[in-house]
């Protein structure tokens, strides 16, 4: 059951989006998030929405999968929309009951924010859907190289992320085993109130921690046996090189930014 | 066999540090000497806590002897400058396959060693592909390690050592956590490496059947080498082995039992094949 969780949520493929250099993808996604926040009216928002949808189509990730990604934050979307509807009192009144009123301004704000959140989710989940975790950490490591100047070791950060990703499935499996073992000894993990159930977790967490330390010790030994000595003097098997697709993507995003700015200037802001 | 020495262990004594600063526990290895020849297949037997894993740590410069010397291909392991040169020569595969795989993709993990050594990217690619082919895991190069079977994981770990182009591999109970199928895969792989690539193999094991297939067997007890020699010589000392808490191969045991019942099979019996041929000879004789 727990084992079924897939992590990183990577869907292998060979689309233009998949083929982008991971560094480009990181930079562009970051830029797109900013561009999405720059949108001030429905025209620029429409541009961004069309762009996001085109990206999803290009990546050949099924829309159903994208929607599943939305499911987890449906609550956040609903909450912000409702708050907008009731607290925004601009425009003409559509419906009123005592002090509570719904206005056109409120409704359009709610729509605006919902669309914006959906765009944000689409763009950022495309990053993890189309990039393998290894490439992603590699990309982060190479992008953060300049941090070396202020004595932050990007290699160490990337190595930590890699090891964490590598061991998550292993630890999940281990939790399964420990839970089975504790149940076999009569541990009751399912009944009782929240506090009782939280307490029942202790006999699972303690063995998990102890074992993790053992694993860490073993892993450190194995890494040292394989001549690991930090990032200095280390080479990488994979060579990262920007290609035509990357330059095209940068150009498209630059145009998009220009488009959003122009539309913001030409039309009245709603936010 | 040529008698060039790969690892030379001379009168080594080693004790782990105690909890208090500077204190030492009672020695795990005592005045131990052992020569490991280039290209040989050496099996090391010994009960739990007899110091086998500790010996491994001394052979790849993860620990230095308190007294005595360890030389790897002529390099002194006590010389800190040579630490990484030594580890490049002597690779280690451990018992638990889960705890020695570093990366999230098989080929990335195999590349880990050569990357640490600063090898050129194109050369790493070549080494990784050839190492994965060698252990028969090439088709799995893009898989996630946690989805492989135990035997497959262990072969990936072996490929990781191969990609560093080590001359000697020490395997510390590599089959202890595997099922018979995985155990066969791993044993076959390490025998191939030894035979076809001339890699020196040191196999620490609790399975007598695995030890029987080695060129030489060393038996450790209380931090010393109790017996050393070809399997037939070592397993002839049945009482010594049993006294030090070890077993003897199944086939030998069966032959012994038959002997007690008055059925004397001819010859030295160590493997099932020995047993079968010996039993045939016995039946022929009866007729
Ligand atoms: N890090 C350590 N600190 C202190 N003592 C240790 C340490 N590691 C091992 N020992 C002790 O050293 C002795 C030898 O351990 P070692 O692991 O070398 O045995 P082994 O022959 O590999 O046993 P096994 O067959 O169980 O793997 C044991 O008594 C053990 O308790
Ligand atoms: Mg051991």
């Amino acid at each position: 059951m727990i084992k079924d969780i897939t992590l990183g949520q990577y869907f292998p493929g060979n689309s233009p989006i998949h083929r982008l250099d991971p560094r480009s993808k990181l930079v562009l996604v970051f830029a797109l998030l900013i561009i999405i926040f720059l949108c001030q009216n429905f025209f620029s928002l429409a541009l961004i929405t069309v762009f996001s949808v085109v990206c999803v189509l290009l990546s050949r990730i099924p829309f159903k999968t994208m929607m599943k990604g939305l499911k987890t934050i449906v609550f956040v979307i609903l909450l912000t929309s409702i708050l907008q509807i009731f607290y925004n009192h601009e425009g003409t009144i559509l419906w009123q009951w005592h002090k509570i009123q719904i206005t056109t301004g409120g409704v359009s704000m709610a729509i605006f924010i919902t669309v914006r959140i959906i765009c944000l989710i689409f763009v950022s989940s495309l990053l993890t859907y189309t990039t393998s975790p290894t490439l992603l950490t590699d990309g982060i490591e190479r992008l953060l190289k300049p941090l070396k100047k202020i004595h932050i070791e990007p290699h160490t950060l990337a190595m930590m992320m890699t090891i964490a990703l590598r061991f998550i499935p292993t630890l999940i499996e281990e939790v399964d085993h420990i839970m089975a073992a504790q149940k076999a000894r009569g541990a009751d993990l399912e009944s009782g109130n929240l506090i009782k159930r939280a307490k029942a977790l202790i006999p699972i967490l303690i063995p998990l921690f102890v074992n993790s330390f053992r694993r860490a010790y073993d892993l450190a030994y194995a890494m040292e046996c394989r001549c690991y000595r930090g990032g200095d003097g280390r080479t990488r098997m994979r060579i990262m090189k920007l290609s035509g697709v990357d330059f095209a993507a940068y150009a498209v995003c630059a145009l998009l930014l220009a488009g959003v700015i122009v539309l913001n200037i030409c039309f009245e802001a709603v936010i | 066999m040529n008698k060039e020495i790969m690892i030379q262990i001379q009168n080594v004594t080693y004790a782990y540090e105690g909890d208090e600063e500077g204190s030492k526990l009672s020695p795990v290895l005592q005045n131990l000497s052992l020569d490991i020849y280039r290209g040989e297949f050496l099996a090391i037997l010994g009960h739990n806590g007899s110091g086998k894993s500790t010996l491994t740590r001394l052979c790849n410069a993860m620990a230095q002897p308190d007294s005595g010397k360890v030389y790897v291909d002529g390099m002194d392991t006590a010389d800190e400058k040579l630490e990484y040169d030594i580890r490049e020569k002597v690779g280690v595969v451990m018992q638990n396959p889960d705890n020695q795989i570093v990366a999230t993709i098989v080929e990335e993990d195999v590349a880990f060693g050569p990357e640490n050594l600063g090898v050129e990217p194109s050369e790493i690619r070549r080494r990784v592909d050839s190492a994965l082919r060698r252990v028969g895991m090439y088709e799995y190069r893009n898989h996630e390690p946690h989805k492989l079977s135990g035997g497959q994981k262990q072969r990936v770990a072996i490929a990781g050592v191969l990609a560093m182009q080590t001359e000697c591999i020490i395997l510390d109970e590599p089959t202890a956590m595997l099922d018979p199928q995985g155990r066969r895969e791993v044993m076959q792989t390490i025998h191939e490496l030894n035979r076809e690539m001339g890699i020196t193999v040191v196999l620490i094991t609790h399975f007598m059947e695995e030890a029987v297939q080695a060129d030489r067997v060393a038996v450790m007890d209380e931090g010393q080498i109790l017996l050393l020699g070809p399997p037939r010589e070592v397993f002839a000392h049945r009482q010594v082995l049993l006294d030090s808490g070890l077993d003897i191969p199944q086939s030998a045991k069966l032959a012994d039992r038959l002997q007690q019942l008055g059925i004397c099979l001819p010859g030295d019996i160590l493997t099932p094949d020995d047993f079968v041929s010996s039993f045939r000879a016995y039946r022929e004789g009866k007729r």
Side-chain angles (χ1 to χ4, degrees):
Chain A
M1 41 140 208
I2 282 187
K3 260 191 240 170
D4 299 334
I5 303 172
T6 49
L7 256 148
Q9 294 272 323
Y10 168 56
F11 298 96
N14 198 23
S15 72
I17 310 261
H18 282 86
R19 285 206 304 273
L20 278 176
D21 185 288
R23 288 169 300 177
S24 302
K25 262 190 263 192
L26 281 160
V27 170
L28 290 174
V29 164
F30 189 68
L32 281 172
L33 296 185
I34 293 175
I35 297 177
I36 292 173
F37 271 108
L38 284 180
C39 293
Q40 288 175 345
N41 55 38
F42 278 102
F43 297 94
S44 44
L45 189 69
L47 182 63
I48 283 287
T49 313
V50 170
F51 175 81
S52 311
V53 171
V54 169
C55 284
V56 173
L57 289 177
L58 268 181
S59 74
R60 301 207 191 92
I61 305 271
F63 259 95
K64 235 165 91 193
T65 318
M66 301 302 295
M67 288 303 165
K68 262 195 206 141
L70 284 182
K71 232 161 68 185
T72 41
I73 59 141
V74 114
F75 179 72
V76 179
I77 296 180
L78 278 180
L79 192 76
T80 41
S81 314
I82 290 170
L83 284 179
Q84 280 304 331
I85 288 176
F86 290 114
Y87 282 90
N88 190 312
H89 291 167
E90 283 161 33
T92 49
I93 293 169
L94 293 173
W95 181 82
Q96 186 163 28
W97 182 68
H98 298 294
K99 274 210 153 158
I100 302 169
Q101 49 180 229
I102 293 178
T103 62
T104 47
V107 172
S108 69
M109 268 315 283
I111 294 171
F112 190 88
I113 286 178
T114 306
V115 174
R116 186 147 88 175
I117 294 178
I118 292 174
C119 284
L120 285 174
I121 299 294
F122 270 23
V123 167
S124 46
S125 44
L126 267 187
L127 177 68
T128 52
Y129 285 169
T130 63
T131 327
S132 81
T134 332
L135 277 178
L136 209 56
T137 43
D138 249 23
I140 293 173
E141 173 176 353
R142 284 172 219 222
L143 273 181
L144 295 184
K145 273 252 167 71
L147 285 187
K148 254 189 162 164
K149 290 210 182 72
I150 55 168
H151 299 290
I152 294 175
E153 205 40 79
H155 169 73
T156 316
L157 286 176
M159 186 50 91
M160 266 161 42
M161 268 160 63
T162 307
I163 291 175
L165 284 170
R166 154 71 187 81
F167 276 91
I168 285 169
T170 312
L171 293 184
I172 286 176
E173 203 171 309
E174 185 150 21
V175 170
D176 259 0
H177 287 189
I178 297 173
M179 263 160 79
Q182 300 292 31
K183 274 189 201 156
R185 290 172 194 174
D188 180 8
L189 304 175
E190 262 115 33
S191 66
N193 58 16
L194 208 60
I195 296 173
K196 213 168 166 191
R197 269 197 270 175
K199 265 191 188 155
L201 280 181
I202 294 175
I204 291 168
L205 290 181
I206 289 177
L208 186 68
F209 268 110
V210 174
N211 283 345
S212 301
F213 277 107
R214 269 196 57 88
R215 280 186 198 284
Y217 181 82
D218 271 8
L219 184 71
Y221 179 64
M223 285 168 74
E224 269 194 82
C225 284
R226 291 164 76 182
C227 294
Y228 182 68
R229 51 202 132 162
D232 294 333
R234 199 173 133 82
T235 49
R236 303 309 306 270
M237 172 169 71
R238 208 188 303 271
I239 309 165
M240 284 196 188
K241 234 174 99 195
L242 298 186
S243 63
V245 197
D246 296 287
F247 297 121
Y250 284 117
V252 168
C253 286
L255 283 178
L256 189 72
L257 176 63
V260 166
I261 292 175
V262 168
L263 290 171
N264 274 347
I265 296 172
C266 294
F267 297 94
E268 199 187 333
V270 295
I271 195 164
Chain B
M1 196 192 354
N2 64 350
K3 292 275 181 180
E4 199 186 328
I5 292 176
M6 180 77 222
I7 301 177
Q8 187 173 30
I9 303 163
Q10 284 181 341
N11 302 320
V12 160
T13 299
Y14 181 81
Y16 280 101
E17 309 251 324
D19 287 336
E20 280 143 51
E21 186 72 359
S23 72
K24 288 271 185 184
L25 301 173
S26 60
V28 176
L29 300 178
Q30 285 184 42
N31 210 17
L32 181 147
S33 296
L34 175 68
D35 288 342
I36 299 170
Y37 301 117
R38 190 181 286 277
E40 80 166 330
F41 194 122
L42 175 72
I44 299 183
L45 296 172
H47 60 78
N48 289 132
S50 56
K52 305 181 297 294
S53 301
T54 309
L55 191 63
T56 312
R57 300 175 74 90
L58 289 170
C59 288
N60 72 345
M62 287 295 289
Q64 281 71 39
D66 295 332
S67 72
K69 285 281 179 200
V70 179
Y71 295 101
V72 174
D73 205 16
M75 294 182 286
D76 188 347
T77 58
D79 188 346
E80 266 175 44
K81 289 197 294 291
L82 295 175
E83 201 176 24
Y84 290 104
D85 295 320
I86 288 169
R87 280 178 213 155
E88 200 178 332
K89 293 235 179 223
V90 181
V92 173
V93 174
M94 300 190 302
Q95 183 185 77
N96 189 338
D98 275 325
N99 296 358
Q100 54 190 327
I101 292 181
V102 185
T104 46
I105 302 283
V106 166
E107 64 171 15
E108 294 274 329
D109 186 73
V110 177
F112 183 73
E115 284 179 341
N116 291 334
L117 296 173
V119 177
E120 286 298 310
S122 55
E123 169 68 6
I124 300 182
R125 185 79 256 173
R126 198 189 62 70
R127 286 191 191 186
V128 167
D129 289 349
S130 102
L132 281 171
R133 285 214 176 85
R134 209 60 258 181
V135 300
M137 289 297 291
Y138 188 69
E139 303 89 82
Y140 294 90
R141 63 189 179 284
N142 286 323
H143 281 229
E144 291 169 39
H146 69 95
K147 290 189 181 147
L148 302 177
S149 74
Q152 291 174 326
K153 281 185 215 169
Q154 211 55 308
R155 282 188 285 157
V156 169
I158 293 173
V161 171
L162 280 185
M164 290 169 70
Q165 300 192 332
T166 57
E167 291 165 27
C168 173
I169 301 186
I170 304 180
L171 302 109
D172 194 348
E173 302 182 34
T175 58
M177 299 178 81
L178 308 183
D179 59 8
Q181 165 74 19
R183 200 175 297 157
R184 260 195 305 277
E185 288 168 13
V186 169
M187 285 308 292
Q188 194 187 345
T189 307
I190 53 186
H191 274 285
E192 275 170 19
L193 301 183
N194 178 248
R195 262 199 319 268
E196 290 161 23
M197 299 175 76
I199 291 177
T200 313
V201 172
V202 178
L203 174 70
I204 297 173
T205 182
H206 285 295
F207 294 102
M208 301 302 137
E209 277 65 30
E210 292 175 5
V212 166
Q213 300 167 6
D215 296 329
R216 287 200 303 162
V217 177
V219 177
M220 283 184 70
D221 194 13
E222 306 306 324
Q224 285 177 326
I225 301 282
L226 198 60
L227 295 170
L228 176 66
R232 281 180 201 286
E233 274 175 35
V234 168
F235 287 111
H237 297 87
R238 296 195 181 164
Q239 206 49 51
V240 182
L241 287 172
L242 292 172
D243 285 347
S244 99
L246 292 172
D247 216 348
I248 49 177
Q250 285 268 266
S251 312
K253 229 195 252 169
L254 183 56
D256 281 2
R257 293 287 288 276
L258 287 173
Q259 194 166 24
Q260 280 165 16
L261 297 173
I263 303 171
C264 281
L265 298 183
D268 224 4
I269 298 173
L270 281 184
T271 64
D273 286 346
D274 289 351
F275 189 90
V276 171
S277 56
S278 172
F279 192 71
R280 282 227 175 89
Y282 173 79
R283 242 183 13 190
E284 294 290 307
K286 275 257 156 163
R287 269 188 215 146

